[in-house]
Amino acid sequence: MFNARCSALVLCVLLAGLAACQSEPPREASEVVEASIQVNQLGYPPQAVKEATVPAGFGDTFEVVEQGSGRTAYSGALSAAERWPHSGESVRRADFSELTQPGHYRLRVPGLEESRAFLIDGSVYASLNDAAVKAYYFNRASMALEEERAGVYARALGHPDEQVEIHRSAASAERPEGTTLASPRGWYDAGDYNKYIVNSGISTYTLLAAYEHFPRYYQGRELNIPESGDAVPDLLNEVMWNLSWMLTMQDPNDGGVYHKLTTKRFSDKVMPDQATAQRYFVKKGTAAALNFAAVMAVASRVYADYDTAYPDFSDIARTAAVAAWEWAKANPEVIYRNPEDIHTGEYGDEEFHDEFAWAAAELYLTTGEPKYWEAIAPTPVENRVPNWADSSGLAWLSLAEHRASLPEAAQALVAERVKSLGDELYHEWRRSAAGVPMRAEDFVWGSNGVAMNSAMMLIAAYRLTDNENYLAAAQSLMDYVLGRNPTGYSYVTGYGAKTPMHIHHRPSAADGIEAPVPGFLAGGPHSGQQDAGDCPVAYPSDKPAKSYLDHWCSYASNEVTINWNAPLIYVSGALQVLYEED
Ligand code: G3I
Ligand code: 9MR
Ligand code: CA
């Protein structure tokens, strides 16, 4: 087929001769993406709504062809062409939901190359879900990764964090500047090696919610992590690695919680054991205290069943949660800003209504004490798609899960809030030319995290109402991150036919292994391009849904984080369970 690469070659041969053109190095990253059929590259559960996105301007019909036999398993008409503003492209949708027979398939439209192969399969998201959890093991601080568990990604222990210094901004009478304390374990936040309480909050919560909402599923998973084989589900073992670090971030003298544990500057692109600069506890803040309180309250109830493996943990977590809540009540407006000598991630939330509501909701659900319910009541808390700075949706997610234990009026309020957000997202799905409920404001740094958090809130609406429309819209977002999008990438490393190879993740970039650590969701496209000044190649497009660069330089579109992987886990696990139950 005559494509952009061929025409570049022809032009080059005309101008410079064949030898010169053949020795031209291949272009890195920024390649031209041609019109092609986009599918969920992993595949679809048999009972799910199944859509592919097809560029406009070709045939009006499509066929789904079985791999191997070449048999046409389904044929149908494409939807009318419409422009999707986020990509600027005119697209049509192929709906083959009626095809439920498990198998390997490709989609065909006259005039276009066949789609990539995809599965229809009842356990299509199980291994993705396992890998996305295992990614946290790969990001563990203070532990060597052994070959029998980490394979080629085995590495030396990094960041023991036995001698972390109190930074000037965190100094108190009992802990003056320069005091050293141990604060080991935890997960690296992302592609960098620092540990931030605010972002740990939503990430750890989301994993605990996945467990709390679908315990039987996670009780059956085996991840080959160091604790595998004990009496605790592997997901909860993994989460404990971070919880035990989080506990060390609370000052027992006053209940306050340090915002982060960090070096002064981001490290070079080196393996964890080579990144040895001094680390500091930096300034306490209201957001950190409330994130900590909420997570510890949830942990207290989830681990109550595992007191033998983790003696007294449930009580310890509950006491820690209450102390952090009290600190926040006494210090309700401490906004975190980086001190002038600290240049790492800020996570500088300025609005705490949502964190107060979330922590109060979790403390109420864990302790049953009316004072926490009263702390939510005066605040007209909206339900929004959550992110590290906006926790309001997390309150509604937990309240929805436990609504049977709430007063009747509260049950109605929870239902109203959860459904109204679900409706908003559902209508966006129906309105969207590409069949993806992403709004303009969703294309920000970490847009794939927004996609998965939106899907999580749609799943909450489905579980509350049994209305399949919400589940279908959630599925569409899973399709979107797994390849049914205008970049053609399945954004999870190692899961899909075309996946990110150059994520902004220090171990993946420094380990000398071609394939990145698997199971990580890349941040995703958006027009911000805050890293353009650090990138030697141009972004392929300015369009929000196409502005993505699979290059190490692109920390704004191609970093990975614990807070984007967490909703991927929630959603992949939920779809796996809910479509099986169907
Ligand atoms: O708040 C403004 C909003 O008012 C405005 O309309 C909007 C327009 O773009 O921008 C909003 O600010 C954005 C902010 O996030 C809040 O969403 C900034 O543009 C955006 O640059 C900022 O991105 C954050 C980024 O750090 C830079 O601070 C990401 O959300 C956050 O996920 C990311 O987190 C980093 C850590 O700092 C360090 N570790 C890696 C991690 C992932 O890249
Ligand atoms: O590597 C850093 C990444 O983890 C952060 O999310 C990002 C934004 O804060 O910053 C990255 O570090 C870059 C720095 O900000 C600017 N110079 C290049 C660094 C990455 O190579
Ligand atoms: Ca907030």
Side-chain angles (χ1 to χ4, degrees):
M1 189 192 262
F2 191 80
N3 59 23
R5 197 162 290 159
C6 293
S7 54
L9 182 65
V10 170
L11 194 64
C12 182
V13 170
L14 287 175
L15 295 174
L18 185 61
C21 299
Q22 282 173 334
S23 62
E24 190 186 45
R27 286 185 67 179
E28 230 181 322
S30 207
E31 87 266 42
V32 177
V33 181
E34 289 170 64
S36 58
I37 302 172
Q38 307 299 351
V39 296
N40 180 327
Q41 294 172 20
L42 270 195
Y44 309 79
Q47 303 312 320
V49 165
K50 304 175 198 73
E51 288 195 323
T53 309
V54 177
F58 299 87
D60 292 322
T61 57
F62 69 95
E63 287 183 347
V64 182
V65 179
E66 192 178 53
Q67 288 265 89
S69 73
R71 177 180 71 87
T72 298
Y74 188 81
S75 55
L78 295 168
S79 70
E82 271 179 275
R83 187 175 169 276
W84 197 41
H86 310 314
S87 66
E89 291 168 349
S90 194
V91 292
R92 309 177 74 166
R93 294 188 312 278
D95 185 335
F96 52 101
S97 307
E98 284 169 13
L99 177 59
T100 57
Q101 178 65 38
H104 283 87
Y105 300 95
R106 287 178 192 267
L107 205 116
R108 231 182 240 167
V109 172
L112 282 166
E113 217 173 296
E114 273 189 353
S115 79
R116 296 179 189 280
F118 59 87
L119 272 173
I120 294 181
D121 186 275
S123 53
V124 70
Y125 301 136
S127 62
L128 165 74
N129 179 262
D130 289 348
V133 179
K134 183 108 183 218
Y136 289 76
Y137 160 73
F138 286 117
N139 248 27
R140 284 190 189 189
S142 320
M143 176 180 268
L145 307 188
E146 308 292 347
E147 203 186 326
E148 56 185 305
R149 288 180 274 273
V152 292
Y153 303 104
R155 59 166 171 81
L157 179 153
H159 304 90
D161 285 338
E162 288 296 339
Q163 303 254 311
V164 179
E165 264 184 50
I166 296 280
H167 183 262
R168 190 179 326 119
S169 61
S172 61
E174 299 86 352
R175 293 178 165 190
E177 180 180 359
T179 308
T180 61
L181 296 160
S183 189
R185 298 181 293 278
W187 302 307
Y188 300 129
D189 182 54
D192 67 322
Y193 291 137
N194 301 303
K195 304 191 287 197
Y196 309 82
I197 284 291
V198 166
N199 201 42
S200 258
I202 184 169
S203 313
T204 310
Y205 166 78
T206 303
L207 297 181
L208 287 173
Y211 180 81
E212 196 178 37
H213 303 182
F214 304 103
R216 264 180 301 124
Y217 179 72
Y218 289 103
Q219 281 158 11
R221 305 310 296 177
E222 180 68 42
L223 303 175
N224 190 21
I225 58 175
E227 302 79 8
S228 292
D230 73 359
V232 180
D234 283 4
L235 177 60
L236 294 186
N237 290 134
E238 192 51 56
V239 170
M240 184 56 84
W241 191 258
N242 203 53
L243 286 168
S244 68
W245 163 67
M246 287 182 79
L247 281 174
T248 68
M249 291 295 281
Q250 184 171 46
D251 180 352
N253 298 296
D254 63 1
V257 178
Y258 304 111
H259 186 80
K260 61 176 171 176
L261 188 164
T262 183
T263 47
K264 289 193 171 176
R265 295 185 177 277
F266 287 116
S267 81
D268 290 340
K269 193 167 57 174
V270 294
M271 292 302 281
D273 61 313
Q274 302 296 306
T276 54
Q278 181 60 44
R279 296 185 13 128
Y280 298 87
F281 295 103
V282 185
K283 199 174 184 295
K284 293 167 190 166
T286 307
L290 292 169
N291 268 268
F292 178 99
V295 167
M296 289 301 162
V298 181
S300 176
R301 49 176 202 264
V302 169
Y303 287 86
D305 291 342
Y306 295 99
D307 226 35
T308 313
Y310 300 117
D312 301 328
F313 177 78
S314 178
D315 289 345
I316 291 169
R318 177 179 164 135
T319 306
V322 171
W325 168 262
E326 292 300 333
W327 189 92
K329 292 286 282 180
N331 300 273
E333 282 169 18
V334 186
I335 293 174
Y336 178 82
R337 288 280 170 247
N338 270 339
E340 43 39 78
D341 60 338
I342 301 286
H343 303 278
T344 53
E346 187 162 72
Y347 287 123
D349 190 4
E350 295 172 4
E351 173 57 64
F352 305 137
H353 264 89
D354 49 320
E355 280 78 23
F356 269 110
W358 177 37
E362 302 299 358
L363 278 158
Y364 176 70
L365 294 171
T366 297
T367 67
E369 285 181 36
K371 70 172 183 193
Y372 295 116
W373 184 251
E374 284 150 25
I376 316 174
T379 334
V381 187
E382 287 177 39
N383 188 15
R384 290 185 296 261
V385 175
N387 63 60
W388 61 261
D390 189 347
S391 317
S392 53
L394 307 180
W396 294 108
L397 198 59
S398 284
L399 291 170
E401 183 65 20
H402 295 277
R403 66 192 174 285
S405 67
L406 300 178
E408 222 163 273
Q411 293 190 20
L413 182 66
V414 169
E416 187 275 315
R417 287 290 200 278
V418 171
K419 274 194 278 185
S420 64
L421 179 57
D423 287 340
E424 201 183 304
L425 293 165
Y426 168 74
H427 290 305
E428 185 61 39
W429 177 52
R430 290 288 70 181
R431 208 177 15 242
S432 157
V436 179
M438 290 288 279
R439 304 160 292 189
E441 65 267 31
D442 295 335
F443 287 96
V444 291
W445 189 316
S447 60
N448 285 337
V450 179
M452 289 295 91
N453 275 314
S454 300
M456 182 170 78
M457 300 315 278
L458 280 158
I459 288 165
Y462 167 70
R463 296 181 68 225
L464 194 96
T465 60
D466 274 335
N467 179 340
E468 305 250 339
N469 289 336
Y470 299 125
L471 196 58
Q475 173 67 40
S476 78
L477 286 159
M478 195 73 202
D479 295 350
Y480 170 82
V481 302
L482 294 178
R484 190 167 69 76
N485 69 63
T487 66
Y489 275 94
S490 167
Y491 289 113
V492 182
T493 53
Y495 285 79
K498 182 186 178 190
T499 60
M501 292 299 287
H502 309 285
I503 49 175
H504 190 85
H505 180 242
R506 281 168 174 72
S508 295
D511 61 8
I513 296 160
E514 194 184 356
V517 174
F520 273 115
L521 176 65
H526 64 104
S527 308
Q529 302 187 0
Q530 291 92 334
D531 46 27
D534 286 315
C535 283
V537 288
Y539 273 83
S541 168
D542 291 339
K543 292 289 179 201
K546 296 177 75 174
S547 182
Y548 168 74
L549 202 47
D550 181 22
H551 193 294
W552 152 263
C553 71
S554 187
Y555 46 83
S557 82
N558 207 29
E559 191 161 2
V560 299
T561 67
I562 56 173
N563 64 310
W564 306 329
N565 250 55
L568 170 69
I569 289 164
Y570 187 97
V571 171
S572 56
L575 292 176
Q576 185 56 52
V577 172
L578 296 170
Y579 277 121
E580 247 170 29
E581 276 171 3
D582 235 28

